[in-house]
Amino acid sequence: MSGAPTEAGGGAAGNAAVDGPTPWGERTRAHGLLSGLLVWATRAAAAAFVLDIVDRRLHLVGVAGAGVLLAAPLVAMLVAAAQYARERDWREAGLAFLLLVMLVAGAWLGRA
Amino acid sequence: MSVLGLGALGFGAGFVGSIVGIGGGVFIVPGLLILFGLPLRQAVAASLVGVVATSAGSAAVYLGEGRVDLPLALRLEVMAVAGAVGGGLAAAWIPPHLLYLLFAAVVLYAALAMFRGGVKGPSSVSGPAEIRHMGIGMTASAGAGMASGLLGIGGGFAKVPIMHAIMGIPLGVAAATSAFMVGLTASASAWIYWMRGDLLMAYAAPVALGVLAGSAIGARVSDRVPTLWIRIALTGILLYVAFEMAWRALGGVAR
């Protein structure tokens, strides 16, 4: 991974590191956290969709499932930002936080 | 509207998508338009939920295997999400016939990519330790994000070849990173459609469930099915879809 925190130099520090050595296929703590998050979000959404389809009175459960599914990328960016900040990988943390802000801003603009 | 029919559409899109290595959006949107008569914006919104579901399911596995290049994904996604937000907002005022025309062009490209072999290949995660042409990658990501927001597709069939052939990323890493990225991109525009009232859960839930089941089963049997015939059949379907979209763009169907 180009930005693995285990890499010498503290991960992908901008384009310099992206253009530099990139040991592919390295699993970091951020990978594990995001993987677990997406697994549970997918399961929760699937269960909610099933309930919604089986019984239309549970429509709000289906809506909540869609909310969980679509919110998973936002939460993923929050988790990534926090994890990278914990590892003092400020550039990656900043990018993840910027993406979170962009996702929230997009939803807000859609409402406006 | 039939829940089973919608589920079957999602299942088929997820199944063949995972076999040939493209997302389900290019099948779901036309399916909802042609088979279920849904207006374009509602079809795009339901498809985006399906794309997020597919991405979450596959990205969870790829992340667990460490095949996703997270720093690269974060960089490319800044542009892709910007494009997706722009596309999602612009979809509200772009005339439908222009969107149909754009969809026809994108599907034609997908048909060409399918005919040439799809985007699946050896899942190599090794290669030259260098990423080239970040500028091209970021520009392509912005374009793919815009297409996702406008048309409800993931855009993996465009992203993966660019990441692999132009940026020099091993195919296995490019496919895994793209799978993670399309979920972020699609969710950016899906929220916009939802907030605008275009997301109909009665359509989105069965489609997303079908996509989840289809892509999970497709991934398990992909090594055992004759992909050549599937590719030929899908090329034909995509060519028909391109024709149908172009026909609608020219006023063949006023919807």
Side-chain angles (χ1 to χ4, degrees), chain A residues 1-3 12 14 18-20 22 24-25 27 31 35 39 42 53 59 62-63 70 73-74 84 91-92 99 102-103 106-107, chain B residues 3 56 60 63-64 66 68-71 75 77-78 82 125 128-131 170 184 187-188 191-192 194-195 201 205 208-209 212:
Chain A
M1 293 297 106
S2 57
V18 167
D19 294 336
T22 50
W24 310 104
R27 189 179 187 275
H31 283 90
S35 175
V39 166
T42 311
I53 291 167
H59 175 64
V63 173
L70 296 186
L74 278 79
Y84 281 123
R91 193 177 295 260
E92 310 308 337
L99 277 168
M102 288 171 76
L103 288 165
Chain B
V3 169
L63 281 162
V68 177
D69 189 332
L70 273 177
R75 277 165 183 77
E77 269 306 291
V78 170
V125 291
E130 183 186 11
I131 296 176
L184 276 170
S187 79
W191 277 108
I192 294 173
W194 197 358
M195 292 295 140
M201 280 305 299
L209 258 184
L212 274 173

Side-chain angles (χ1 to χ4, degrees), chain B residues 140-222:
Chain B
S141 294
M146 178 73 83
S148 177
L150 286 172
L151 308 174
I153 57 176
F157 62 86
K159 275 183 195 165
V160 176
I162 287 171
M163 287 167 81
H164 177 55
I166 296 176
M167 299 178 73
I169 298 161
L171 194 55
V173 177
T177 306
S178 169
F180 173 69
M181 287 171 60
V182 295
L184 276 170
T185 312
S187 79
S189 32
W191 277 108
I192 294 173
Y193 281 86
W194 197 358
M195 292 295 140
R196 209 164 42 210
D198 287 327
L199 180 59
L200 304 178
M201 280 305 299
Y203 289 85
V207 167
L209 258 184
V211 166
L212 274 173
S215 55
I217 294 173
R220 282 176 205 275
V221 303
S222 63

Side-chain angles (χ1 to χ4, degrees), chain A residues 49-112:
Chain A
F49 290 156
V50 169
L51 289 174
D52 184 3
I53 291 167
V54 169
D55 189 344
R56 297 301 300 168
R57 288 171 301 180
L58 297 175
H59 175 64
L60 280 180
V61 177
V63 173
V68 168
L69 188 65
L70 296 186
L74 278 79
V75 180
M77 287 304 100
L78 185 64
V79 169
Q83 178 59 28
Y84 281 123
R86 202 172 156 209
E87 293 164 358
R88 300 187 182 280
D89 198 341
W90 301 115
R91 193 177 295 260
E92 310 308 337
L95 279 170
F97 188 73
L98 173 63
L99 277 168
L100 174 65
V101 171
M102 288 171 76
L103 288 165
V104 173
W108 182 78
L109 283 171
R111 196 187 174 104

Side-chain angles (χ1 to χ4, degrees), chain B residues 19-20 120 222-233:
Chain B
I19 286 175
V20 296
K120 261 202 160 174
S222 63
D223 294 335
R224 297 195 293 270
V225 293
T227 53
L228 175 67
W229 291 107
I230 290 179
R231 278 210 335 262
I232 291 171

